Amino acid sequence: MPVKQIHLAAQLPSVQNTTVWSDPRSESQIEFDSFARLARTAERGKFDFFFLSEGLRLREHKGRFHDLDVVGRPDSLTVLSALAAVTTHLGLAATVNSTFNEPYEVARRLATLDHLSEGRSAWNVVTSWDAFTGENFRRGGFLDEADRYTRAAEFLETARELWDSWQPDHVLADAGAGEFLRAGAGEFAHRGRHFDISGRFNTPRPPQGHPVIIQAGDSPQGREFAASDADVIFSKHSNLEDGRAFYKDVKGRLARYGRDPEDLKIIPSVTYVLGDTAEEAAERAVEIGRAQVGPQTALMLMEALWGRDLSGYDPDGPLPDVDPLPDTVVTKGHTEYRKGREAAVRRWRELAETRGLSIREVVIEVTAKPTFVGTPRQVADSINEFVQTDAADGFIFVPHLTPGGLDDLVDRVVPLLQEMGVHREDYTGPTLRDHLGLKPPRTPGAARNATTGRPAKEIS
Amino acid sequence: MTRLHLSVALDGTGWHPAAWREPGARPADVFKARYWADLVREAERGLLDFVTFEDTLGLQSAAFHLTDDRTDQVRGRLDAVLLAAAIAPLTSHIGLVPTTNVTHTEPFHVASGIASLDFASRGRAGWRPQITSRASDAAHFGRRTTPRLTSEDVLDSELIAKRLRELFGEAREVVEAVRRLWDSWEDDAEIRDAATGRFIDRDKLHYIDFEGEHFSIRGPSITPRPPQGQPLVTVLAHASTPYELAAAGADVVYLTPHSREDTVARLGTLGRALAVVGRPAAEPLKVFADLVVFLDDEPGRAAARKRRLDELDGAEYASDAEIFTGTPGELADLLLDWREVGLDGFRLRPGVLPHDLAAITGGLVPELRRRGVFRSAYEAGTLRGLLGLPRPASRYAPTGATGVTL
Ligand SMILES: Cc1cc2nc3c(=O)[nH]c(=O)nc-3n(C[C@H](O)[C@H](O)[C@H](O)COP(=O)(O)O)c2cc1C
């Protein structure tokens, strides 16, 4: 069996607590130079794409702005459009929410990025729906949690209809004949539960047909959404066993939609630490973990999980005996701590007990443990093992430093992966679909299944 | 003599609907970054203050309030903010001013989009908020209806303004909310204080708590205060209500006078709007006049070219702005004549691209420079700086904090 090619991607270290902003080498998280530097490094490493996250309301902890992590980021589509000018092959992936936007605008902005980059755009469809974020929008927060994916699915379906409303040959620009476009180009009508819109879309079909679609969401509904309609699923399963289980589960859902296993790439987000020797790497990992989780951050993350004020506890002491308040939310604008809190607390307590860890040590272990630690050779081997044993199709690397944090990976690990024949020496095509080895999107005008809206040929 | 400010309005292959059929036009490239980069770099070679990018939420049409099915004119657009962002790293001094819709687009997204453009261009972003009343645009969103313009309305800009008063009022709220979002982070909010573990000083981030008649927004912005503090806000206005929008919220207004006398009359109306909204004298509004231009060195040639284009299109080209045909020297005469009554600059809409843009940078600009009214090098690194506007302090900063002139 031929070896699988690994899909490498990178994310700008941003508002997560894994970003170390206190290091003297850490530069601006907002100046364009930082983005350009990281993107160019990723392109030097022949990565598939560069990824930016999104959050539409600043996080708050105990009723005040969260001040311990990086705060502030640009609009992802705007900065990615600028990056299109300073890169030539790298895919450009924007996270854009489907609740606080409308399909017409998102479809045209993504089509624009695809035109500007000549076929390198991707859209990470995220589904935050909370009223807290809704306060920043004139249309407000108007969704029940249960509806987040019905809206997202209809949103994406509508965007696809808009991209399909122009066929590839609809722009004629024939000066002699005096025909600029084909009559009727852009006509669309969508009548659904969430959107009832019609008219003419005003941006021609994107060079990729449709931008690459990424899904980030872990619930069964999220997985189903990805299986039915996404090209990439972005997960957080970053140990081998969880990764394999997730991989099997998600790939297993594809057949139902008439899709092949290679139509959906599973690309978890991961962190890494390199050293010249295994010992040095392990030492660096400890240092970095302590920088990622300062004493205040340890208490803050514990309070978020416990749902109560625990500021009186010593971060270097044992976990508190008091029970969490499962229904109280002290951290807003952060999706991770809404569900499964009691199980998480049990896990923290077990960790603390079996390994004699302090509060801060537990928090480092659960929030900041790097996925890959070792020499470049060891890390290259683990990356490859993950992929060849079907725990992932590739990774989104999240460095801990901006903007130099990707340098050692690209300089020291990528060449080894290339030597092993599992990562390209150079790009073989111009578009992100080419890099990911994806089929072209459905053809406009193809007959659709009446109930699912998907092309009929994919169902049969 | 004080210097003139000059900008160019980019749209498709130029403002004449048949421009795309001219030899030298690049109609097959209008959806490519390269095409726009070439145009903006040409404008930058001419040391222009800024370029604007048109945008709409629907297909272009011959009549601005109606849709049509024509296939013989340029149709289709790229999102103007993203287009401007893609040009930012390829240019270094010229201002980039995209149009966005403010009737259907979320103000919060506009604020972070323009702020992000300001970061990507290192302080060269501007913004042109624009309302839309087209029913076809509203149908693309399916969330609201907007007032309809009749065929009589569109003949008279005061009638249009009256019919759309509500939308202009809403636009004023959008501009106010966006400006508050840009100020919602004080300049020194990011502290990176390793000793206390704090990245930001949370007392320097502010809810904007905007409560208008049409919407409310909590804030703060997700994007830090942009390099210019307040990117340049520019408004195209044809009548009293939009003049009030400009007077209340803009740094630059584009008027559409048809003669020197008409310029005087419009400046009078604008003056009343400034008084109505109570704009402080310390915050002058820069006044530009818009002109569509067809330029050729040989006398008579530009007019003949325009006639030929009109024939191709099957109608005489009409515009809200005055249409000038002539030589660069004649245009320089006109600009200097009109500006005497109180204009700060002009926004020229090239009839045909790249022809009339090249005539501006290669003909008009050297002519103005010979007359001592145009720069021979960029004198500032930001767009506000080029226009002689200070960098304002955040409205939320403690009093005593002052703006800096760039
Ligand atoms: C790896 C990962 C990355 C995510 N990134 C973002 C993001 O950048 N912005 C955002 O608003 N939501 C983000 N989300 C949230 C998801 O879009 C989704 O709203 C959330 O996970 C809840 O859906 P679920 O119940 O299916 O998991 C992310 C989720 C995951 C798992």
Side-chain angles (χ1 to χ4, degrees), chain B residues 172-185:
Chain B
R172 222 167 125 173
E173 292 189 356
V174 173
V175 172
E176 171 66 14
V178 166
R179 284 193 178 279
R180 285 197 204 174
L181 286 165
W182 288 336
D183 276 350
S184 63
W185 291 55

Side-chain angles (χ1 to χ4, degrees), chain A residues 53-54 95 126-128 148-149 216-219 234-236 339:
Chain A
S53 58
E54 177 191 74
T95 300
V126 296
T127 59
S128 312
R148 71 195 188 288
Y149 281 112
D218 199 22
S219 59
F234 172 31
S235 70
K236 282 202 169 133
K339 283 170 268 173

Side-chain angles (χ1 to χ4, degrees), chain A residues 429-452:
Chain A
T431 71
L432 177 54
R433 281 185 182 276
D434 293 333
H435 310 338
L436 286 164
L438 294 169
K439 295 178 187 136
R442 71 191 188 193
T443 351
R448 306 273 187 82
N449 178 292
T451 37
T452 65

Side-chain angles (χ1 to χ4, degrees), chain A residues 362-377:
Chain A
V362 171
V363 177
I364 292 174
E365 187 67 22
V366 283
T367 70
K369 196 174 162 208
T371 319
F372 301 111
V373 182
T375 63
R377 168 62 59 192

Side-chain angles (χ1 to χ4, degrees), chain B residues 161-178:
Chain B
K162 203 168 148 209
R163 186 84 65 191
L164 305 184
R165 172 170 284 281
E166 186 84 0
L167 294 182
F168 283 109
E170 186 182 65
R172 222 167 125 173
E173 292 189 356
V174 173
V175 172
E176 171 66 14
V178 166

Side-chain angles (χ1 to χ4, degrees), chain A residues 134-139, chain B residues 106-109 173-174 177-178 180-181 207-212 215-221:
Chain A
E135 285 176 358
N136 280 338
F137 296 95
R138 41 186 310 180
R139 285 186 286 270
Chain B
E106 285 282 356
F108 193 83
H109 291 317
E173 292 189 356
V174 173
V178 166
R180 285 197 204 174
L181 286 165
Y207 297 112
I208 67 162
D209 281 328
F210 179 82
E211 302 274 349
F215 59 86
S216 58
I217 292 178
R218 181 92 163 117
S221 178

